[in-house]
């Protein structure tokens, strides 16, 4: 995987500090993409849904690249509130990037709504239940699990069992059918942990990862 990323970043006008951000976001996207497809197959979804989830999973957080100028490192509460406001814009930015790049509506909308909660408490549109696109409901479950099991600047990664327990405590956020399929997946023999998922990159994923690099270069140019 390191060789893949080194090749991906070679001869690109992306500074080293930005390269690490891009690398982390792509790894997160790969994890979400692979887990989402596993859940879709567990649910009996067809190959078209699986293909579209592969793409949506890779690109769901691409809009975060546009937030670099807005994120604060200070701990002041006012700035943290301001930071949260901008962070919540990332799904809208992701949607716009995908639409401008010519992606189909169902993939762009799956990305746009991947922070909606099943009980209506999510964003950006407070959609509830089946009004949330099914691909968004799948991505929501995968995104939370991938985030909880990853290191963050403010905390260490949770082990997978603890992450599941945290999600159970907030189970109203998720479509129960999807959540149960997710639990079945992580207890199956073919699932070897989130670290293994980020090592499994297929040709379709690689094709759409190129958009990440293009957007990173564009962001760096605007910041220069």
């Amino acid at each position: 995987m390191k060789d893949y990323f080194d090749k991906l970043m070679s001869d690109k006008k992306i500074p080293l500090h930005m390269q690490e951000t891009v690398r982390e976001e792509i790894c997160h996207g790969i994890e979400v993409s692979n887990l989402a497809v596993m859940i879709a197959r567990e649910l009996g979804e067809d190959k078209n849904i699986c293909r579209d989830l592969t793409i949506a999973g890779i690109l769901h957080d691409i809009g975060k690249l546009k937030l670099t100028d807005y994120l604060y490192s200070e701990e002041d509460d006012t700035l943290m509130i301001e930071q949260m406001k901008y962070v919540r814009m990332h799904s809208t930015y992701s949607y716009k990037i995908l639409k401008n790049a010519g992606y189909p509506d169902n993939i762009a909308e799956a990305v746009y709504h991947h922070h909606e909660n099943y009980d209506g408490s999510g964003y950006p549109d407070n959609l509830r239940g089946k009004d949330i696109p099914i691909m968004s409901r799948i991505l929501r479950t995968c995104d939370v699990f991938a985030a909880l099991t990853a290191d963050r600047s403010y905390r260490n990664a949770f082990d997978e069992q603890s992450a599941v327990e945290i999600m159970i405590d907030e189970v109203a956020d998720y479509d129960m059918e999807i959540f149960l399929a997710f639990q079945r997946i992580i207890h199956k023999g073919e699932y070897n942990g989130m670290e293994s998922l980020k090592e499994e990159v297929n040709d379709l994923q690689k094709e759409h990862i190129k958009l990440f690099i293009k957007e990173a270069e564009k962001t760096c140019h605007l910041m220069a």
Side-chain angles (χ1 to χ4, degrees):
M1 180 58 75
K2 183 181 183 301
D3 290 342
Y4 168 69
F5 278 114
D6 288 345
K7 183 178 180 181
L8 199 62
M9 298 293 182
S10 65
D11 300 323
K12 302 296 188 297
K13 296 178 180 179
I14 304 174
L16 287 176
H17 71 279
M18 186 69 172
Q19 286 186 24
E20 187 57 34
T21 297
V22 174
R23 186 186 302 255
E24 288 177 1
E25 292 299 341
I26 290 174
C27 282
H28 173 70
I30 293 168
E31 290 177 327
V32 169
S33 175
N34 286 328
L35 184 57
V37 171
M38 293 173 76
I39 292 174
R41 288 173 177 159
E42 179 71 18
L43 291 167
E45 298 294 340
D46 65 33
K47 63 181 181 180
N48 292 324
I49 290 286
C50 291
R51 181 185 184 280
D52 290 347
L53 270 171
T54 299
I55 299 167
I58 285 291
L59 298 174
H60 72 283
D61 275 347
I62 194 171
K64 286 185 177 179
L65 296 176
K66 289 188 175 293
L67 298 174
T68 307
D69 281 350
Y70 299 108
L71 301 182
Y72 301 93
S73 59
E74 295 90 340
E75 296 299 326
D76 180 85
D77 287 343
T78 303
L79 292 181
M80 291 300 289
I81 291 169
E82 186 76 359
Q83 181 185 37
M84 183 58 69
K85 181 180 76 173
Y86 284 113
V87 167
R88 287 191 168 206
M89 293 170 64
H90 81 272
S91 58
T92 300
Y93 285 134
S94 295
Y95 174 83
K96 290 180 178 178
I97 290 169
L98 266 59
K99 289 298 292 179
N100 288 338
Y103 281 80
D105 288 344
N106 68 318
I107 292 177
E109 287 170 5
V111 166
Y112 180 66
H113 290 296
H114 79 272
H115 276 284
E116 305 284 3
N117 290 332
Y118 203 72
D119 64 357
S121 64
Y123 66 89
D125 291 339
N126 302 112
L127 298 185
R128 179 188 297 270
K130 303 298 184 183
D131 288 340
I132 306 168
I134 185 171
M135 290 200 297
S136 301
R137 285 179 265 145
I138 293 172
L139 290 175
R140 180 66 175 139
T141 301
C142 301
D143 187 38
V144 172
F145 187 64
L148 288 172
T149 54
D151 287 327
R152 290 291 185 261
S153 60
Y154 51 88
R155 63 156 173 81
N156 293 327
F158 291 99
D159 64 80
E160 294 189 3
Q161 184 57 46
S162 297
V164 172
E165 290 171 1
I166 290 168
M167 293 175 74
I168 289 172
D169 287 341
E170 300 175 347
V171 75
D173 290 352
Y174 314 109
D175 180 322
M176 184 56 67
E177 183 181 5
I178 290 169
F179 189 71
L180 291 175
F182 154 72
Q183 288 190 295
R184 291 195 299 272
I185 286 295
I186 63 174
H187 290 104
K188 281 188 172 182
E190 63 263 32
Y191 172 76
N192 296 312
M194 293 302 281
E195 281 297 318
S196 70
L197 290 188
K198 74 173 64 171
E199 299 295 325
E200 301 173 12
V201 187
N202 60 44
D203 289 341
L204 179 61
Q205 291 167 329
K206 288 179 180 178
E207 181 63 29
H208 295 279
I209 284 171
K210 292 177 184 177
L211 184 62
F212 247 106
I213 303 303
K214 180 180 178 181
E215 285 301 315
E217 290 184 299
K218 186 184 300 183
T219 299
C220 292
H221 175 73
L222 292 174
M223 291 169 59

